[in-house]
């Protein structure tokens, strides 16, 4: 990184009213190759202790007004250019506080499988005020070659610090990668929401990715496959967490109202039945998930169809004996 001292005519305009010796001075702007624009403010420096409106404090001893000279940060660390004062002594901030002069910005990386991933200079500089901790040891100032998660796990890029010791581990993916609630449409059982927020609060991302799910689009998995340990069933097996058979934990259920001609409306209560049975006791043995258009008569129920499969006077009260328990007469 090199800075050039501009000639006298580029930074000074002669005037009757000025800061020092009749000279009006303006900011000098340096364009660095990889570290952005740097603005040197004459106004901010001219009144400081040790300068006190005396241009000769810097010119020509530290900065030449007659020729262009380039200085690297290494030169400055040896006391040249800005480093003559910015050494961390006598109340002057040191060179390592790079963001005091170099304009830094928030960076967003577009990651194909996990969406936009922001990197905040502001947050990192609040924790580590020394830019040398990352630049140029880990990252060149400017564009860098992309590092994969596998690279990071080997200590490269972000993984040099995010190892679970110096800073949070890479497996806490949701700290950096923006995750969202995922709506899943299931024919017959309504809209299901998979909550990343809920799961990320209890588990590590690598417990699911990429073992069970590839970040991005995945093929739908049926309940039968889940009961064999696929997809959600890998954890929801009744041991680690609740069983996938406890369908109402994820699938929205509601009270179902039937209009029965001549016998008054009948209400089927999911809440009541789920307190005694699992969903698989009825679905899909007796009922397909969703609203069936087929009408089942009381005569058919008495033969064991529909509600009559349980309401037979043995498993539960008989459909014949207690009509008013279901029909609002």
């Amino acid at each position: 990184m090199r800075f050039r001292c501009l000639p006298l005519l580029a930074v000074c305009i002669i005037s009757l009213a000025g800061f020092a010796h009749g000279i009006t001075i303006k900011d000098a702007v340096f364009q660095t190759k990889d570290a952005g624009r740097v603005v040197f403010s004459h106004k901010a420096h001219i009144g400081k202790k040790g300068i006190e409106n005396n241009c000769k404090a810097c010119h020509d001893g530290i900065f030449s007004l007659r020729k262009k000279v380039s200085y690297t940060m290494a030169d400055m660390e040896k006391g040249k250019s800005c480093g003559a004062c910015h050494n961390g002594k006598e109340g002057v901030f040191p060179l390592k506080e790079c963001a005091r002069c170099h304009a830094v910005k928030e960076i967003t990386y577009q990651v194909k499988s996990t969406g936009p991933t922001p990197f905040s200079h502001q947050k990192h500089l609040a924790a580590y005020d020394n830019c040398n901790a990352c630049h140029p040891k880990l990252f060149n100032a400017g564009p860098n070659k992309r590092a994969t998660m596998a690279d990071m796990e080997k200590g490269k890029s972000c993984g040099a610090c995010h190892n679970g010791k110096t800073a949070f581990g890479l497996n806490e993916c949701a700290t950096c990668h923006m995750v969202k609630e995922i709506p899943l449409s299931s024919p017959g059982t309504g809209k299901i929401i998979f909550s990343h927020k809920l799961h990320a609060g209890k588990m590590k991302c690598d417990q699911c990715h990429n073992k069970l799910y590839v970040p991005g689009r995945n093929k739908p998995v049926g309940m039968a496959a889940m009961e064999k340990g696929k997809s959600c069933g890998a954890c929801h097996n009744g041991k680690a967490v609740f069983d996938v058979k406890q369908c109402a934990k994820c699938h929205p259920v509601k009270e179902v109202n039937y209009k029965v001609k001549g016998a008054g409306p009948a209400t089927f209560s999911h809440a009541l039945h789920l307190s005694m049975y699992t969903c698989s006791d009825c679905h899909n043995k007796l009922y397909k998930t969703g609203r069936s258009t087929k009408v089942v008569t009381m005569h058919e129920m008495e033969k064991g169809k529909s509600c009559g499969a349980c309401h037979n006077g043995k498993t539960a009260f008989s459909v014949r004996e207690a009509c008013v328990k279901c029909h609002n007469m």
Side-chain angles (χ1 to χ4, degrees):
M1 189 188 309
R2 292 182 176 273
F3 298 82
R4 292 185 180 277
C5 295
L6 304 183
L8 177 62
L9 292 178
V11 294
C12 302
I13 300 174
I14 304 301
S15 173
L16 293 176
F19 282 98
H21 307 296
I23 298 175
T24 298
I25 54 179
K26 61 179 182 180
D27 292 346
V29 179
F30 303 95
Q31 293 291 344
T32 66
K33 183 180 178 182
D34 293 322
R37 190 178 73 158
V38 178
V39 177
F40 176 86
S41 171
H42 275 96
K43 185 177 179 181
H45 286 77
I46 198 73
K48 296 293 183 181
K49 183 180 179 182
I51 301 177
E52 296 158 349
N53 297 325
N54 179 14
C55 298
K56 291 182 179 180
C58 296
H59 302 292
D60 278 323
I62 299 173
F63 301 103
S64 174
L65 292 173
R66 295 171 177 81
K67 59 181 179 179
K68 293 181 179 180
V69 182
S70 296
Y71 294 102
T72 64
M73 289 301 293
D75 292 332
M76 294 183 191
E77 288 169 2
K78 293 176 182 178
K80 293 185 179 181
S81 185
C82 304
C85 296
H86 289 283
N87 51 20
K89 300 176 182 179
E90 298 181 5
V92 181
F93 65 84
L95 292 169
K96 68 179 182 179
E97 295 183 21
C98 313
R100 301 285 291 268
C101 299
H102 292 273
V104 295
K105 60 183 180 179
E106 307 301 86
I107 300 172
T108 299
Y109 297 98
Q110 294 298 331
V111 184
K112 185 178 180 181
S113 57
T114 56
T117 304
F119 173 85
S120 173
H121 269 105
Q122 185 177 1
K123 286 183 179 179
H124 284 76
L125 285 168
Y128 309 97
D129 61 359
N130 184 0
C131 297
N132 291 334
C134 296
H135 300 291
K137 294 177 183 177
L138 301 174
F139 306 99
N140 292 323
N144 285 266
K145 183 181 177 182
R146 288 294 181 90
T148 65
M149 289 302 293
D151 293 331
M152 294 183 191
E153 288 170 2
K154 294 176 182 177
K156 294 185 178 181
S157 185
C158 304
C161 295
H162 290 283
N163 52 18
K165 298 175 183 178
T166 306
F168 63 84
L170 293 168
N171 59 348
E172 297 185 31
C173 313
T175 311
C176 297
H177 294 279
M178 292 184 286
V179 296
K180 58 185 179 180
E181 309 303 83
I182 301 176
L184 303 170
S185 294
S186 175
T189 56
K191 187 177 179 182
I192 308 162
I193 301 294
F194 175 84
S195 173
H196 265 109
K197 185 177 180 181
L198 175 65
H199 286 77
K202 298 178 180 179
M203 304 168 69
K204 302 296 183 184
C205 297
D206 61 0
Q207 290 179 256
C208 294
H209 303 292
N210 291 316
K211 296 175 183 176
L212 301 173
Y213 307 101
V214 176
R217 193 76 178 172
N218 287 272
K219 186 179 179 180
V221 177
M223 289 302 296
M226 291 186 191
E227 289 175 5
K228 293 177 181 179
K230 299 284 182 74
S231 187
C232 304
C235 295
H236 290 281
N237 52 18
K239 298 175 183 178
V241 284
F242 65 85
D243 198 307
V244 288
K245 292 181 180 179
Q246 296 183 33
C247 313
K249 294 265 191 178
C250 299
H251 294 272
V253 294
K254 58 184 179 180
E255 309 303 86
V256 183
N257 296 310
Y258 297 96
K259 291 183 179 179
V260 184
K261 188 177 180 179
T267 298
F268 175 84
S269 172
H270 268 105
L272 174 64
H273 285 77
L274 283 170
S275 66
M276 298 180 283
Y277 306 99
T278 65
C279 297
S280 59
D281 288 333
C282 296
H283 302 290
N284 286 310
K285 297 173 184 176
L286 301 173
Y287 307 100
K288 290 183 178 180
T289 50
R291 191 65 179 254
S292 177
T293 56
K294 184 180 178 181
V295 177
V296 180
T297 65
M298 290 299 294
H299 183 64
E300 289 175 309
M301 291 185 190
E302 289 172 4
K303 292 181 179 180
K305 298 277 182 81
S306 186
C307 304
C310 294
H311 289 282
N312 53 17
K314 298 175 183 178
T315 306
F317 63 84
S318 171
V319 292
R320 186 180 183 86
E321 297 171 355
C323 308
V324 293
K325 287 195 175 184
C326 299
H327 294 276
N328 184 12
M329 304 293 286

